[in-house]
């Protein structure tokens, strides 16, 4: 097994070279979002690598693997990790508050560590064998080691924030988001055991609360923490947190639409995958309350004919209602951003990022 510091040093050199090629930021439109994400990742990655490099070498290798930096055994990976959305929200949160982007780097590192911790544990709970077209950490290293790596990332996130000026307040903000994330994950797991029909079925309002907690809490925390470390006041941080939470609901609902009707070449998931897995998603819950919901419930219960179920859900208005709900939450994002004075350029980049996340070929 290659020692992690060697792997981290190799990726640090490539990151340093990329940072020399970076160009100054300019006002963004939707087409600029990949550039904004790349700029924020380039700013955050050295600090993220430095944090991971402090872990036990074996645990650090699993963390580096989860970020897409290395293969099993420590050899540098050809593929990159995720888009770095939460990192970008933290950096842009600091900039929107009038601070330089580097003020939000510690927040970006902490939130990215927590997000990855949650993915490691989610993959175990859900039994998912692949993520980003590679074996998940528990499949590559084992269940126990993956749990250990997730725990280490969580501890490292808290340590990262606690070391900042005013770190105790930042840790409290992260703790609230973590509590909500766990609450949302618990509800999501429990939804799977509830009936499709009757008084105990999952209602759309329960779904909204679950999505805000499971997905939105960490998005809101990222933007709010970046602003706090950038010197913003409580009102600004709370507005950014609300914006991120509404974004999380919109993002999750769009993900639900893609999970039923998305192009597998774009999503990387099988067509009608969420129906085959009998997930309680927003389009399904809306359709179950419509006339003909009983037939949809029977198909979902049996697991038969997912293509027929998808057609009936669309005919019942599930798809259109889901997209209308996502739009309502995007309007709420805009309302939250308009409630406090924010710097123009990073706010424009925030808006382009929000549009990018919910557009995704639906």
């Amino acid at each position: 097994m290659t020692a992690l510091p060697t792997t981290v040093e190799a990726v640090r050199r490539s990151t340093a070279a990329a940072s020399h090629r970076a160009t100054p930021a300019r006002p963004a439109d939707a087409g600029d979002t990949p550039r904004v994400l790349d700029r924020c990742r380039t700013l955050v990655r050295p600090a993220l690598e430095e944090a991971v490099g402090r872990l036990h070498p074996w645990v650090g290798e699993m963390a580096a693997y989860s970020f897409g930096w290395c293969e099993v055994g420590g050899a540098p990976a050809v593929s990159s990790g995720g888009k770095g959305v939460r990192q970008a929200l933290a950096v842009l949160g600091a900039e929107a508050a009038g601070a330089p982007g580097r003020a939000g780097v510690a927040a970006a590192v902490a939130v990215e560590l927590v997000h990855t911790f949650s993915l490691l544990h989610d993959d175990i709970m859900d039994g998912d064998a692949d993520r980003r077209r590679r074996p998940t950490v528990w499949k590559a290293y084992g269940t126990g080691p993956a749990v250990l790596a997730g725990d280490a990332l969580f501890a490292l996130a808290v340590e990262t924030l606690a070391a900042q000026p005013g770190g105790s307040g930042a840790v409290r903000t992260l703790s609230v988001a973590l509590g909500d994330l766990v609450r949302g994950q618990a509800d999501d797991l429990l939804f799977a055991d509830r009936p499709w029909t009757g008084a105990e079925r999952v209602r759309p309002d329960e779904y909204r609360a679950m999505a805000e907690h499971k997905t939105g809490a960490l998005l809101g925390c990222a933007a709010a923490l970046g602003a706090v470390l950038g010197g913003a006041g409580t009102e600004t941080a709370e507005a950014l947190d609300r914006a991120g939470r509404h974004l999380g609901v919109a993002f999750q609902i769009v993900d639900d639409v893609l999970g039923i009707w998305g192009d597998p070449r774009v999503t990387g998931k099988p067509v009608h995958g969420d129906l085959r897995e009998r997930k309680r998603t927003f389009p399904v819950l809306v359709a179950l309350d419509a006339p003909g919901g009983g037939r949809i419930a029977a198909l979902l219960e049996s697991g038969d004919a997912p293509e027929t179920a998808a057609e009936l859900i669309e005919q019942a208005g599930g798809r259109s209602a889901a997209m209308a709900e996502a739009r309502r939450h995007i309007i709420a994002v805009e309302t939250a951003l308009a409630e406090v004075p924010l710097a123009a350029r990073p706010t424009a980049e925030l808006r382009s990022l929000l549009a990018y996340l919910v557009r995704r070929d639906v």
Side-chain angles (χ1 to χ4, degrees), residues 30 56 70 73 96 106 116 122 130 154 188 200 209 218 223 225 243 274 278 296 301 319 324 328 330 341 357:
H56 181 286
C70 74
T116 306
D122 283 358
D130 296 288
F154 171 74
D188 195 31
E200 296 301 314
L218 206 53
L225 276 180
D274 281 0
R278 300 193 295 178
I296 296 171
E301 184 64 39
R319 183 173 185 171
R328 281 193 290 273
I330 290 302
L357 289 175

Side-chain angles (χ1 to χ4, degrees), residues 6-19 49:
T6 302
T7 303
V8 170
E9 184 58 35
V11 293
R12 184 177 288 121
R13 286 196 294 269
S14 67
T15 300
S19 66
E49 289 167 0

Side-chain angles (χ1 to χ4, degrees), residues 294-326:
R295 184 183 176 194
I296 296 171
L299 287 172
L300 294 171
E301 184 64 39
S302 67
D304 295 333
E307 62 283 349
T308 302
E311 291 176 6
L312 292 174
I313 290 166
E314 185 159 15
Q315 290 170 12
R319 183 173 185 171
S320 60
M323 295 312 300
E325 182 73 14

Side-chain angles (χ1 to χ4, degrees), residues 195-198 201-203 275 280 282-302 308-318:
W196 292 105
T197 59
R201 72 186 185 276
V202 180
R203 305 285 184 168
L275 297 180
R280 272 68 171 173
F282 193 84
V284 170
L285 299 179
V286 170
L288 288 173
D289 282 339
R295 184 183 176 194
I296 296 171
L299 287 172
L300 294 171
E301 184 64 39
S302 67
T308 302
E311 291 176 6
L312 292 174
I313 290 166
E314 185 159 15
Q315 290 170 12

Side-chain angles (χ1 to χ4, degrees), residues 232-286:
T234 301
E235 188 178 0
T236 297
E238 289 178 349
L240 289 170
D241 181 69
R242 284 195 301 278
R245 285 172 179 265
H246 282 293
L247 169 63
V249 180
F251 179 89
Q252 189 63 60
I253 289 173
V254 170
D255 206 53
D256 290 348
V257 173
L258 291 172
I260 299 176
W261 297 284
D263 184 343
R265 294 170 297 181
V266 176
T267 65
K269 302 177 182 179
V271 66
H272 304 144
D274 281 0
L275 297 180
R276 289 188 173 88
E277 296 178 21
R278 300 193 295 178
K279 290 185 177 180
R280 272 68 171 173
T281 60
F282 193 84
V284 170
L285 299 179
V286 170

Side-chain angles (χ1 to χ4, degrees), residues 11-306:
V11 293
R12 184 177 288 121
R13 286 196 294 269
S14 67
T15 300
S19 66
H20 286 302
R21 297 192 296 270
T23 56
R26 57 185 173 78
D29 57 30
D32 280 334
T33 300
R35 179 194 60 78
V36 173
L37 290 169
D38 184 63
R39 174 175 73 83
C40 295
R41 283 195 306 267
T42 298
L43 180 63
V44 172
R45 184 154 168 173
L48 185 58
E49 289 167 0
E50 189 277 330
V52 172
R54 299 198 302 270
L55 295 172
H56 181 286
W58 182 47
V59 176
E61 182 193 302
M62 288 186 279
Y65 176 86
S66 69
F67 286 121
W69 301 344
C70 74
E71 304 296 348
V72 175
V78 175
S79 62
S80 62
K83 294 181 177 67
V85 169
R86 290 155 191 83
Q87 299 176 43
L89 286 172
V91 170
L92 294 174
E95 292 178 341
R102 64 179 177 273
V105 166
V109 169
V111 173
E112 189 68 15
L113 291 170
V114 166
H115 174 57
T116 306
F117 141 75
S118 72
L119 295 181
L120 265 62
H121 286 196
D122 283 358
D123 287 339
I124 294 169
M125 287 185 285
D126 297 341
D128 290 338
D130 296 288
R131 180 174 291 279
R132 298 172 188 146
R133 297 178 174 83
R134 295 203 305 169
T136 50
V137 174
W138 73 271
K139 289 295 289 185
Y141 291 88
T143 302
V147 171
L148 180 65
D151 292 345
L153 292 173
F154 171 74
L156 188 59
V158 174
E159 175 192 329
T160 298
L161 280 184
Q164 302 303 307
S168 60
V171 170
R172 283 195 298 273
T173 298
L174 181 64
S175 297
V176 171
L178 280 169
D180 283 347
L181 188 155
V182 170
R183 186 177 294 108
Q185 181 67 27
D187 284 340
D188 195 31
L189 288 172
L190 289 170
F191 284 175
D193 295 327
R194 290 174 57 181
W196 292 105
T197 59
E200 296 301 314
R201 72 186 185 276
V202 180
R203 305 285 184 168
D205 60 336
E206 294 179 279
Y207 175 97
R208 292 184 192 96
M210 179 278 295
E212 179 191 331
H213 291 146
K214 181 181 176 181
T215 306
L218 206 53
L219 294 175
C221 178
L225 276 180
V228 167
L229 294 186
T234 301
E235 188 178 0
T236 297
E238 289 178 349
L240 289 170
D241 181 69
R242 284 195 301 278
R245 285 172 179 265
H246 282 293
L247 169 63
V249 180
F251 179 89
Q252 189 63 60
I253 289 173
V254 170
D255 206 53
D256 290 348
V257 173
L258 291 172
I260 299 176
W261 297 284
D263 184 343
R265 294 170 297 181
V266 176
T267 65
K269 302 177 182 179
V271 66
H272 304 144
D274 281 0
L275 297 180
R276 289 188 173 88
E277 296 178 21
R278 300 193 295 178
K279 290 185 177 180
R280 272 68 171 173
T281 60
F282 193 84
V284 170
L285 299 179
V286 170
L288 288 173
D289 282 339
R295 184 183 176 194
I296 296 171
L299 287 172
L300 294 171
E301 184 64 39
S302 67
D304 295 333

